[in-house]
Amino acid sequence: MTTSDEMDGLSADPRFLELQEQLRDAVFTGLSTLSPSRWATPEPQATPAATHDNSEQQRKNRRLDYASTSIPQVRLINYLRNWVTECAPYLDKFDEARHFQIQVPILAQKSPALFYAILAFSARQMERRNPSLPESYDSLELYQQSILALGPSLQAKDPSILVTASILAVFELMAGSSKDWRRHLEEGCAGLFEFFGVNGFSGGLPQAVWISRPDNAATHGSPEESGHAVDTYVEELFWQHSQGSRDMYANWALYLCAEVCNLRYRLVRYLGLGEQDDSDNRPFTKRWEQLWFRLQRWYDRRPRPMMPIIDAKAKTAEGHLFPTILFSHWAAISSNQLYHAACILMLEMRRSNSVTPEFSAVWHARRICGISGSNPHLGSLINAIQPLYLAGKIFTHVSERREVARILLHIDQATGWGALWRLRDLDAEWGYEPDEMLNMSDTTPDYHPALREHSLHTSLTMSACRPVIHVLGSLNLDQVSYVPHHPHPGETMTASGFEAGCGGKGANQAVACAKLSRTRTLEDPSVDVFMIGAVGGDVAGSGLSESLASCGVDTSMVRVNDSGGEDSQTGIAVIIIDESDGQNRIILSPGANRSVGFDHVQQSVSLKPDLLILQMEVPAPTVLDSIQAAKAAKVPVLLNQAPVIALPSEAYQGLDHLILNETEAALVADVAASELEDPSSLATVANQLLQKGVKNVVLTLGARGVFYACESGERRLVPALKVDAIDTTAAGDTFIGAYAVAFAEETSR
């Protein structure tokens, strides 16, 4: 029996260079000259004078045989050429030695089963990539020929059957979903790998074949798809073998992803179904923590070639929903995506309260999409199908979902690899009709975010990028009544006027930032403003989003709650305005604002804006999480503590900006509002807040102006311009918008 090591021996054969040259000549220039010009033409009989030497005779004996199929020779040559230039690089994505591109076609000259397998794979890829061509069944015929030839190879225990079976398994994966080839994979390939003793450290072609196994990279989607026993390799072997090897470092990520799938499988089988796990008696929590540590260690230890050469924040205003993450090596593309996919699966099994990015499933999902949209390497795009599915399940906004659909559509059209079955799965996850998102997406065949005109340049030219402000807060429908005076207890009053409009402190401040950063015609913005919050699935919610967008606010991170219940109603603010002095009183019904939570925080902080603005009209725990997460990510925070809700002292430590009006300042400092009429009392309150750790304190005083105090020691009362007040509603929010824009513009210079 020939061992797997001997199968790899061709690479050391003294005639390897001659065979490699023959391969190149046959594929690109003269393959047709090595075969008869017509199928029925017999080989000419050699005369003694024209007898070739033994080496030439051996070359003739190794000619590829085209006569077993009805497919014209010219098409078979095209399929072989396509294998070398298009298909093999996908399987070689973690193999710089390019075994599938160079050595497998050489092996195929002696193995009909392997020969027809690579032609079938290539034909299928060409058929799928060019649906406009006349319908062809070449791939099916070649697939059948390979299977017919596989029997004798199995009887002879030919090691090339390992390569053949793997290629056929990938062929089946390309032709359908993972459910269609699981049986073939489990009952066929797995046994062959065990029979030949091949694993991820075998070296040479056997290792390349093992790494190309479809179950290694394609099955991380659900427990029932990931039930294969994961080989128990010692992780330190990966560390030792990966020194100086980008391929092995990428394979390490592949192994860790398989470990995550195994843990997920065990969670369902042993914890969910209550079966006894005799192979591992560690508590699930312990297993999870240890595997999570190993994943983060892989990420932290990445050598320079495995790290992005460009990592730029998303610029939604320029059409970029996800960050631009560009790699210089193909193995780095897929391995980093596998890391993010594995982390999403881990966080599905056990959520964490940490606010750092690696514990955010949204952050990992955005990174997956950013990598897919920035790197047009076709082999890596094929590997992105399952990670994109995991990322897509997390997104709630239609713009994010549409972008995922576009990338999957591009993969399907550009690579010939079936990706739309996963998009249909996402349709079901999102609650859409089959192919509904596909019909909503851009169907341009050459679509790819990384290839859009000017996209890469404008995303990465950081000096030309505008600063970004995120406003995480409330969105309300304001119902405003104008009265001669505020009603007394028990008094019923008829309003002299009524208006309904868009409001909420968060929305007001976002609009103020957007308008004050633009010209009067809302053009040429100096900052990009994003609103982060939630509205109900009602008319008020859609009206709010449209109104914000018309003012220049990006609403791609405003989520729509339409699942029913109180949180599915847009927030309402009842406002009563005293016509005599313009003073107002406000009653809030939060509605959907109650649902603004930790995932919103993660979504914002993971993008690292230049300033994050917060108020207290969303749940207080969300505000506290935002402050903590922003501190960890070194994102400046502006807190408008209104309405006043008591916060722990640590919330003020390191807080960049705190803006309060007179009433709010008195409540926070626990003093009477009348005391703040004295300028010295203003300084006392400001000093109290500075001592808690706030860096800049701003107190708005209505007609008197503004008092500010800085940690540097500067104190000043700035008088207000004298005007006739008509309506003070959102005056404080407008001030905050002006302050925020000035800060963002100044810090970006």
Side-chain angles (χ1 to χ4, degrees):
M1 182 184 71
T2 306
T3 66
S4 58
D5 289 334
E6 289 171 334
M7 180 178 67
D8 191 40
L10 282 176
S11 60
D13 191 285
R15 300 192 59 205
F16 174 77
L17 293 178
E18 178 187 357
L19 292 172
Q20 182 180 11
E21 188 62 28
Q22 178 185 349
L23 170 66
R24 292 179 180 277
D25 180 69
V27 171
F28 297 111
T29 58
L31 183 58
S32 60
T33 65
L34 299 179
S35 299
S37 58
R38 297 170 60 183
W39 295 116
T41 303
E43 289 283 352
Q45 297 296 320
T47 63
T51 300
H52 299 284
D53 61 21
N54 187 53
S55 175
E56 179 65 19
Q57 187 62 42
Q58 290 179 7
R59 290 181 61 184
K60 291 175 64 177
N61 291 340
R62 282 195 295 270
R63 290 175 181 169
L64 301 177
D65 180 15
Y66 297 106
S68 299
T69 74
S70 61
I71 302 171
Q73 179 181 356
V74 65
R75 290 219 298 268
L76 295 176
I77 294 174
N78 284 336
Y79 294 149
L80 189 56
R81 179 185 294 112
N82 186 66
W83 168 267
V84 174
T85 59
E86 296 284 344
C87 301
Y90 158 66
L91 297 172
D92 284 331
K93 59 188 171 294
F94 289 172
D95 180 15
E96 289 181 314
R98 298 181 297 164
H99 286 92
F100 278 92
Q101 188 177 33
I102 297 174
Q103 193 168 347
V104 166
I106 296 174
L107 281 177
Q109 294 181 82
K110 293 183 177 181
S111 172
L114 178 57
F115 172 53
Y116 288 119
I118 64 176
L119 292 183
F121 185 106
S122 179
R124 181 61 180 162
Q125 192 259 0
M126 292 182 70
E127 291 165 0
R128 289 189 56 85
R129 193 180 55 187
N130 301 290
S132 60
L133 296 178
E135 188 172 14
S136 169
Y137 296 96
D138 287 358
S139 63
L140 188 60
E141 181 177 348
L142 292 165
Y143 178 61
Q144 182 180 19
Q145 288 291 336
S146 179
I147 292 175
L148 291 174
L150 196 59
S153 297
L154 287 168
Q155 294 296 323
K157 298 181 180 179
D158 180 359
S160 67
I161 64 173
L162 189 62
V163 189
T164 305
S166 294
I167 292 174
L168 291 178
V170 181
F171 172 91
E172 292 185 358
L173 174 59
M174 180 168 54
S177 71
S178 60
K179 300 177 181 66
D180 298 326
W181 50 264
R182 180 184 177 198
R183 177 182 175 185
H184 167 85
L185 183 68
E186 288 185 339
E187 297 180 358
C189 289
L192 288 172
F193 280 106
E194 183 177 357
F195 177 80
F196 287 108
V198 173
N199 59 47
F201 299 104
S202 296
L205 179 58
Q207 177 177 310
V209 175
W210 190 90
I211 293 300
S212 73
R213 290 167 57 181
D215 56 324
N216 277 333
T219 59
H220 50 286
S222 62
E224 65 270 18
E225 293 175 358
S226 308
H228 311 292
V230 180
D231 299 325
T232 55
Y233 299 121
V234 179
E235 190 167 348
E236 282 306 313
L237 285 176
F238 276 106
W239 176 246
Q240 295 168 11
H241 284 75
S242 65
Q243 300 305 300
S245 171
R246 290 166 288 193
D247 292 340
M248 188 55 71
Y249 205 86
N251 295 336
W252 187 359
L254 201 62
Y255 165 74
L256 288 173
C257 193
E259 284 276 82
V260 172
C261 292
N262 188 44
L263 180 62
R264 185 180 171 96
Y265 169 74
R266 289 174 178 274
L267 174 65
V268 172
R269 182 170 180 179
Y270 301 119
L271 293 184
L273 301 179
E275 298 181 18
Q276 181 67 32
D277 187 357
D278 297 325
S279 61
D280 192 340
N281 58 9
R282 290 175 299 164
F284 170 78
T285 301
K286 188 69 173 179
R287 294 187 223 171
W288 189 96
E289 290 173 348
Q290 291 176 347
L291 185 51
W292 181 262
F293 171 78
R294 290 158 60 194
L295 277 168
Q296 305 317 313
R297 182 170 60 175
W298 179 91
Y299 192 71
D300 294 338
R301 283 183 171 185
R302 288 174 301 165
R304 176 60 61 182
M306 305 301 290
M307 300 176 70
I309 57 174
I310 293 176
D311 191 342
K313 293 186 294 186
K315 294 294 178 182
T316 308
E318 298 173 3
H320 311 290
L321 290 180
F322 304 118
T324 299
I325 307 169
L326 184 65
F327 293 94
S328 61
H329 194 276
W330 55 87
I333 302 170
S334 292
S335 59
N336 277 272
Q337 280 200 322
L338 286 174
Y339 159 77
H340 292 296
C343 287
I344 289 177
L345 289 173
M346 291 288 284
L347 293 169
E348 285 180 354
M349 290 186 275
R350 182 187 178 198
R351 295 193 63 179
S352 171
N353 292 325
S354 175
V355 295
T356 54
E358 64 268 20
F359 285 98
S360 166
V362 174
W363 181 77
H364 290 292
R366 294 182 62 81
R367 302 288 290 182
I368 286 172
C369 295
I371 294 171
S372 299
S374 306
N375 299 273
H377 184 272
L378 295 184
S380 298
L381 282 177
I382 294 170
N383 258 24
I385 294 173
Q386 295 287 54
L388 283 168
Y389 168 72
L390 295 174
K393 291 198 301 180
I394 293 173
F395 295 135
T396 59
H397 196 275
V398 66
S399 62
E400 296 169 323
R401 293 173 173 179
R402 186 181 294 117
E403 196 74 3
V404 172
R406 287 174 175 173
I407 298 175
L408 287 171
L409 177 60
H410 169 73
I411 294 172
D412 190 272
Q413 294 175 334
T415 68
W417 195 274
L420 297 186
W421 66 279
R422 265 314 189 192
L423 180 53
R424 295 185 182 100
D425 288 344
L426 285 175
D427 278 332
E429 290 280 349
W430 295 331
Y432 298 145
E433 295 295 325
D435 293 332
E436 182 176 348
M437 183 53 70
L438 178 64
N439 296 330
M440 295 169 59
S441 302
D442 185 353
T443 56
T444 304
D446 61 353
Y447 169 82
H448 191 274
L451 303 180
R452 284 179 177 171
E453 182 181 2
H454 80 266
S455 65
L456 192 60
H457 175 74
T458 55
S459 291
L460 306 181
T461 308
M462 301 307 292
S463 60
C465 291
R466 295 183 290 269
V468 175
I469 295 176
H470 283 187
V471 183
L472 192 153
S474 58
L475 298 101
N476 296 321
L477 174 64
D478 287 349
Q479 297 178 339
V480 185
S481 295
Y482 295 89
V483 296
H485 62 83
H486 289 131
H488 301 295
E491 180 182 6
T492 300
M493 181 176 293
T494 300
S496 58
F498 175 82
E499 293 177 354
C502 301
K505 295 191 73 65
N508 289 341
Q509 292 170 13
V511 169
C513 290
K515 285 190 171 183
L516 293 172
S517 66
R518 286 166 165 78
T519 63
R520 287 183 178 272
T521 57
L522 296 182
E523 297 175 346
D524 302 322
S526 60
V527 300
D528 292 329
V529 183
F530 292 75
M531 182 70 213
I532 302 169
V535 295
D538 46 30
V539 175
S542 60
L544 276 169
S545 296
E546 292 173 3
S547 178
L548 286 170
S550 69
C551 296
V553 178
D554 189 295
T555 60
S556 60
M557 290 187 279
V558 175
R559 303 188 186 181
V560 179
N561 298 344
D562 54 6
S563 58
E566 188 175 357
D567 290 350
S568 295
Q569 298 175 349
T570 299
I572 300 293
V574 177
I575 303 172
I576 302 175
I577 297 177
D578 187 334
E579 292 177 304
S580 63
D581 58 9
Q583 294 295 319
N584 63 69
R585 294 181 181 178
I586 303 173
I587 302 173
L588 292 176
S589 298
N593 294 310
R594 289 195 186 96
S595 69
V596 179
F598 185 62
D599 52 344
H600 292 80
V601 175
Q602 292 176 314
Q603 188 175 26
S604 171
V605 174
S606 66
L607 298 175
K608 292 195 173 182
D610 297 283
L611 179 66
L612 174 61
I613 301 177
L614 304 169
Q615 323 80 33
M616 302 301 297
E617 288 184 349
V618 296
T622 301
V623 176
L624 293 174
D625 286 342
S626 299
I627 294 173
Q628 183 181 356
K631 287 178 185 177
K634 295 181 172 54
V635 173
V637 173
L638 187 163
L639 173 62
N640 175 216
Q641 196 174 342
V644 173
I645 297 175
L647 297 176
S649 58
E650 56 266 24
Y652 300 101
Q653 295 173 4
L655 183 63
D656 298 275
H657 311 275
L658 177 63
I659 299 181
L660 304 167
N661 65 20
E662 292 175 276
T663 303
E664 294 154 0
L667 290 172
V668 171
D670 194 21
V671 299
S674 58
E675 293 185 26
L676 297 183
E677 296 177 2
D678 182 357
S680 62
S681 297
L682 294 173
T684 300
V685 170
N687 288 336
Q688 178 183 333
L689 295 170
L690 290 172
Q691 290 172 3
K692 290 184 177 182
V694 181
K695 298 178 181 179
N696 299 281
V697 177
V698 179
L699 306 179
T700 59
L701 308 173
R704 289 194 292 157
V706 172
F707 181 87
Y708 72 87
C710 308
E711 62 178 351
S712 63
E714 185 178 0
R715 310 283 190 277
R716 187 179 177 187
L717 176 62
V718 181
L721 297 175
K722 299 302 180 182
V723 297
D724 293 328
I726 304 299
D727 181 359
T728 61
T729 303
D733 297 331
T734 304
F735 174 86
I736 288 171
Y739 182 98
V741 169
F743 171 80
E745 291 176 344
E746 181 65 28
T747 55
S748 66
R749 291 173 183 170

Short mmCIF file of all heavy atoms in Angstrom, two decimals, residues 24 79 105 124 366 388 412 431 487 635:
data_model
loop_
_atom_site.label_atom_id
_atom_site.label_comp_id
_atom_site.label_asym_id
_atom_site.label_seq_id
_atom_site.Cartn_x
_atom_site.Cartn_y
_atom_site.Cartn_z
N ARG A 24 2.37 23.27 -17.68
CA ARG A 24 2.16 24.63 -18.17
C ARG A 24 2.00 24.63 -19.69
O ARG A 24 1.14 25.32 -20.24
CB ARG A 24 3.34 25.52 -17.77
CG ARG A 24 3.42 25.77 -16.26
CD ARG A 24 4.62 26.63 -15.92
NE ARG A 24 4.70 26.89 -14.50
CZ ARG A 24 4.03 27.84 -13.86
NH1 ARG A 24 3.23 28.62 -14.55
NH2 ARG A 24 4.16 28.01 -12.57
N TYR A 79 -11.81 23.70 -19.41
CA TYR A 79 -12.09 23.36 -18.02
C TYR A 79 -10.79 23.17 -17.24
O TYR A 79 -10.68 23.58 -16.07
CB TYR A 79 -12.94 22.09 -17.94
CG TYR A 79 -14.33 22.24 -18.51
CD1 TYR A 79 -14.99 21.16 -19.09
CD2 TYR A 79 -14.99 23.47 -18.47
CE1 TYR A 79 -16.26 21.29 -19.62
CE2 TYR A 79 -16.27 23.61 -18.99
CZ TYR A 79 -16.90 22.52 -19.57
OH TYR A 79 -18.15 22.65 -20.10
N PRO A 105 -3.04 18.45 -10.74
CA PRO A 105 -3.15 18.10 -12.16
C PRO A 105 -2.10 17.08 -12.61
O PRO A 105 -2.36 16.29 -13.52
CB PRO A 105 -2.97 19.45 -12.87
CG PRO A 105 -3.39 20.46 -11.87
CD PRO A 105 -2.93 19.92 -10.56
N ARG A 124 -18.51 22.89 -13.43
CA ARG A 124 -19.63 23.37 -12.62
C ARG A 124 -19.44 24.84 -12.26
O ARG A 124 -20.38 25.64 -12.29
CB ARG A 124 -19.76 22.52 -11.36
CG ARG A 124 -20.92 22.93 -10.46
CD ARG A 124 -22.23 22.80 -11.17
NE ARG A 124 -23.35 23.19 -10.32
CZ ARG A 124 -24.55 23.50 -10.77
NH1 ARG A 124 -24.80 23.47 -12.06
NH2 ARG A 124 -25.51 23.84 -9.93
N ARG A 366 -20.01 43.31 12.08
CA ARG A 366 -19.60 44.42 11.22
C ARG A 366 -18.20 44.18 10.66
O ARG A 366 -17.91 44.55 9.52
CB ARG A 366 -19.65 45.73 12.00
CG ARG A 366 -21.06 46.15 12.41
CD ARG A 366 -21.06 47.47 13.14
NE ARG A 366 -20.57 48.54 12.29
CZ ARG A 366 -21.30 49.18 11.37
NH1 ARG A 366 -22.58 48.85 11.21
NH2 ARG A 366 -20.78 50.12 10.63
N LEU A 388 -20.93 35.44 6.77
CA LEU A 388 -21.92 36.46 6.42
C LEU A 388 -23.31 36.07 6.90
O LEU A 388 -24.11 36.92 7.32
CB LEU A 388 -21.94 36.68 4.91
CG LEU A 388 -20.79 37.51 4.34
CD1 LEU A 388 -20.75 37.41 2.82
CD2 LEU A 388 -20.90 38.97 4.78
N ASP A 412 -22.30 34.82 -5.35
CA ASP A 412 -22.97 33.84 -6.20
C ASP A 412 -22.68 34.10 -7.67
O ASP A 412 -22.43 33.16 -8.44
CB ASP A 412 -24.48 33.90 -5.93
CG ASP A 412 -25.23 32.76 -6.60
OD1 ASP A 412 -25.63 32.92 -7.77
OD2 ASP A 412 -25.42 31.72 -5.95
N GLY A 431 -37.77 37.28 8.81
CA GLY A 431 -39.22 37.35 8.70
C GLY A 431 -39.72 37.83 7.36
O GLY A 431 -40.85 38.30 7.24
N PRO A 487 -51.38 75.26 33.50
CA PRO A 487 -52.57 74.98 34.31
C PRO A 487 -52.21 74.67 35.76
O PRO A 487 -51.19 74.04 36.04
CB PRO A 487 -53.21 73.78 33.62
CG PRO A 487 -52.11 73.15 32.83
CD PRO A 487 -51.20 74.25 32.43
N VAL A 635 -13.36 56.97 23.57
CA VAL A 635 -14.29 57.80 22.80
C VAL A 635 -14.79 58.92 23.71
O VAL A 635 -15.35 58.64 24.77
CB VAL A 635 -15.48 56.98 22.27
CG1 VAL A 635 -16.52 57.89 21.63
CG2 VAL A 635 -15.00 55.93 21.28
#
